[in-house]
Amino acid sequence: MTIDTEALKKSNPVIAAAANLEETFWFNPKFTPEGFEKITQVTTDQIKDASDRLQRFAPYLAHVFPELAETKGIIESPVVETTEMKKFLNENFGADITGRLMLKKDSDLPVAGSVKARGGIHEVLKHAEDLAIEAGKLSLTDDYTKLASPEMVKFFSQYTVQVGSTGNLGMSIGIMSAKIGFTVIVHMSADAKEWKKNLLRSRGVQVVEYQDDYGAAVDEGRRNSDKDPMSYFVDDENSQPLFMGYAVAAERLQKQLSEQNIAVDEDHPLFVYIPCGIGGAPGGVTYGLKSIYGKNVHCFFTEPTHACCMMLGMASGLHDGISVNDIGIDGKTEADGLAVGRPSAFVGKVIEPVLSGVATIEDVRLYGLMRALLDTEGTFIEPSSCAGYGCLIRPEDMKRYYEEQGLTDKVDNITHIVWATGGRMVPQEMRDKYLTMGL
Ligand SMILES: *Cc1c(COP(=O)(O)O)cnc(C)c1O
């Protein structure tokens, strides 16, 4: 199919701005407060299924990862108030945030150090569970610590798991699969950072490197896996187990907010900002949040100007039928976790009725925001994660949204949550280097 990009740009000023690499903010014309009712491709039973699975595996996870002993095998991160960062954004960007500003620290998620510890680990566990049950070696009511036995590790070692990644997905799939006992091959795009490849190799993961972008690494991984009947491919472009692993975040957040006595209701809206690559992580979290909070939660994605694939897919209505290359931009960004040129084949369609909008942000700004968060709150998150601030630094657009949604008299009651998606495992020398970069 040929795409008439000139017509697209003419019909939509946001696409024209994106093609010019200008920062922009797209409001989703298909968003409605009650949009959740319109979603038919997936169901909330699937979230429950993922949540129950993570619960079944919790004793196993606590057993094999000492860092999970304290939470009894639940992989979770804190959500914290960031008053000093709010001051910084208000003073330096005129952000005019009058409600509460919080940070969801998936940057600190144990085991894999990024939001991928939700979706990626869930999918590997599901695959292991399916295989073990099918072989008659496990039943749903068993104590799953038995999966760590030498006999089970040997059983799993006959099987291979493969994935294409810009880095963090490979880390999560690689670390978890290697622990289960699977043979793991991670196909890394050119964007992937060297330290991530080295860390994986140190855990016995085979890392294949490509001089090409993410889409190419995924294609090669899929091809390689399809040739081997014992191999399973984690398909970031289509995977529902990934999506549902991310969606479980919502019920956990709900519990955390209520423990902190933070209300989310008609008079106290929740605004959530999530960095987006292919769309699985932010899409899954959004789907989960909408299933719980309905019209009282407003979800936004943020993307690098050079890799704004979800915005382009949704604004054009073409979804995975268009890539950023089609509008003449390169998909290259320092935000390695977001370096994706073509969006997921299903996420954009699922969230079309419920996503409020997408903002883009220039790479150079990510470092300044990273330093600001470190200075004001003592919290380090990786540059990709900092894209989450891309909406709040555009106060005029936010104001327009409040007006359009009739929220102007409620802005003081809004809880804003920026979703920090990665950072924990970044080595100190990389952190030091990041501190010298950007604006
Ligand atoms: C993967 C990733 C995202 C986005 O997830 P997608 O599923 O690719 O949209 C955001 N931030 C970081 C740090 C990531 O690694």
Side-chain angles (χ1 to χ4, degrees):
M1 187 180 72
T2 51
I3 297 164
D4 187 348
T5 50
E6 288 314 312
L8 273 181
K9 286 193 248 177
K10 270 210 195 90
S11 71
N12 192 333
V14 168
I15 296 178
N20 278 335
L21 296 173
E22 289 161 27
E23 289 181 340
T24 182
F25 205 142
W26 172 73
F27 288 122
N28 177 9
K30 297 194 174 143
F31 166 82
T32 59
E34 316 288 350
F36 188 75
E37 318 288 329
K38 295 193 193 135
I39 298 177
T40 54
Q41 303 92 329
V42 288
T43 70
T44 51
D45 288 349
Q46 291 174 273
I47 311 181
K48 168 121 191 355
D49 177 62
S51 173
D52 291 349
R53 179 169 298 106
L54 292 173
Q55 208 64 52
R56 287 194 293 278
F57 269 97
Y60 167 83
L61 291 171
H63 181 71
V64 297
F65 293 113
E67 62 188 304
L68 295 178
E70 204 184 310
T71 58
K72 300 196 166 57
I74 296 299
I75 299 174
E76 200 37 75
S77 75
V79 57
V80 299
E81 192 153 0
T82 53
T83 325
E84 295 304 311
M85 187 62 178
K86 170 174 141 179
K87 253 189 239 163
F88 173 88
L89 294 174
N90 285 349
E91 283 165 16
N92 292 274
F93 291 94
D96 201 23
I97 304 165
T98 54
R100 189 187 275 115
L101 179 65
M102 304 187 82
L103 191 69
K104 177 60 178 160
K105 294 171 92 170
D106 276 4
S107 44
D108 278 351
L109 276 177
V111 183
S114 81
V115 69
K116 305 297 191 309
R118 297 185 184 280
I121 287 178
H122 172 253
E123 181 153 0
V124 173
L125 296 178
K126 179 175 186 324
H127 181 54
E129 187 181 56
D130 291 347
L131 287 173
I133 288 176
E134 199 180 323
K137 292 177 183 295
L138 180 72
S139 78
L140 294 180
T141 50
D142 283 352
D143 174 354
Y144 277 33
T145 51
K146 76 189 264 193
L147 297 178
S149 69
E151 184 213 329
M152 287 310 294
V153 173
K154 185 151 175 268
F155 167 74
F156 288 124
S157 71
Q158 320 163 65
Y159 299 95
T160 301
V161 172
Q162 305 196 45
V163 66
S165 176
T166 66
N168 286 339
L169 184 62
M171 298 250 283
S172 130
I173 301 291
I175 291 168
M176 191 65 245
S177 299
K179 189 61 90 177
I180 294 264
F182 290 132
T183 302
V184 210
I185 308 175
V186 175
H187 302 263
M188 287 283 205
S189 67
D191 311 279
K193 303 281 186 239
E194 217 41 53
W195 67 267
K196 292 182 181 173
K197 301 178 196 166
N198 293 337
L199 186 143
L200 283 178
R201 289 190 176 111
S202 78
R203 308 257 179 131
V205 173
Q206 294 175 43
V207 177
V208 187
E209 298 175 74
Y210 297 88
Q211 289 315 312
D212 221 326
D213 72 1
Y214 177 67
V218 171
D219 288 345
E220 273 306 306
R222 190 186 288 116
R223 216 181 340 262
N224 211 38
S225 187
D226 287 350
K227 280 192 295 209
D228 177 359
M230 298 298 271
S231 176
Y232 177 84
F233 183 65
V234 176
D235 189 349
D236 201 13
E237 291 176 338
N238 296 287
S239 166
Q240 294 200 0
L242 274 177
F243 186 84
M244 292 301 163
Y246 295 123
V248 173
E251 63 180 42
R252 309 263 184 88
L253 181 75
Q254 180 189 34
K255 186 156 166 273
Q256 291 177 318
L257 291 180
S258 70
E259 277 164 7
Q260 296 183 38
N261 293 315
I262 295 171
V264 179
D265 55 35
E266 185 131 26
D267 291 320
H268 301 84
L270 179 64
F271 275 57
V272 179
Y273 311 93
I274 320 168
C276 178
I278 200 158
V285 172
T286 295
Y287 179 70
L289 288 171
K290 279 285 172 183
S291 78
I292 290 174
Y293 294 119
K295 65 180 179 346
N296 298 325
V297 65
H298 301 260
C299 300
F300 294 86
F301 293 177
T302 53
E303 295 184 298
T305 48
H306 282 253
C308 53
C309 65
M310 186 55 75
M311 191 175 83
L312 182 63
M314 291 185 78
S316 65
L318 296 173
H319 299 289
D320 61 323
I322 190 166
S323 98
V324 298
N325 301 135
D326 293 324
I327 58 164
I329 61 182
D330 59 9
K332 290 198 166 57
T333 167
E334 284 296 316
D336 54 334
L338 315 178
V340 180
R342 187 185 296 277
S344 156
F346 87 102
V347 171
K349 295 170 202 164
V350 171
I351 58 171
E352 200 151 48
V354 294
L355 184 70
S356 293
V358 185
T360 60
I361 182 166
E362 282 190 52
D363 280 13
V364 287
R365 283 195 203 272
L366 300 175
Y367 301 100
L369 289 162
M370 187 197 79
R371 279 190 292 276
L373 189 64
L374 191 59
D375 291 346
T376 58
E377 306 285 345
T379 297
F380 172 83
I381 65 176
E382 66 186 75
S384 296
S385 274
C386 299
Y389 290 101
C391 296
L392 289 169
I393 63 175
R394 299 179 64 89
E396 293 306 316
D397 289 314
M398 291 306 298
K399 195 162 157 237
R400 180 157 64 96
Y401 183 83
Y402 303 144
E403 284 166 8
E404 282 175 5
Q405 297 301 319
L407 297 172
T408 309
D409 58 338
K410 294 176 185 163
V411 287
D412 297 353
N413 299 338
I414 296 176
T415 295
H416 301 271
I417 299 182
V418 170
W419 212 280
T421 42
R424 176 185 176 120
M425 293 173 89
V426 178
Q428 190 59 45
E429 69 261 32
M430 284 302 293
R431 298 184 184 204
D432 293 343
K433 190 174 147 224
Y434 287 153
L435 288 175
T436 67
M437 292 168 72
L439 288 178

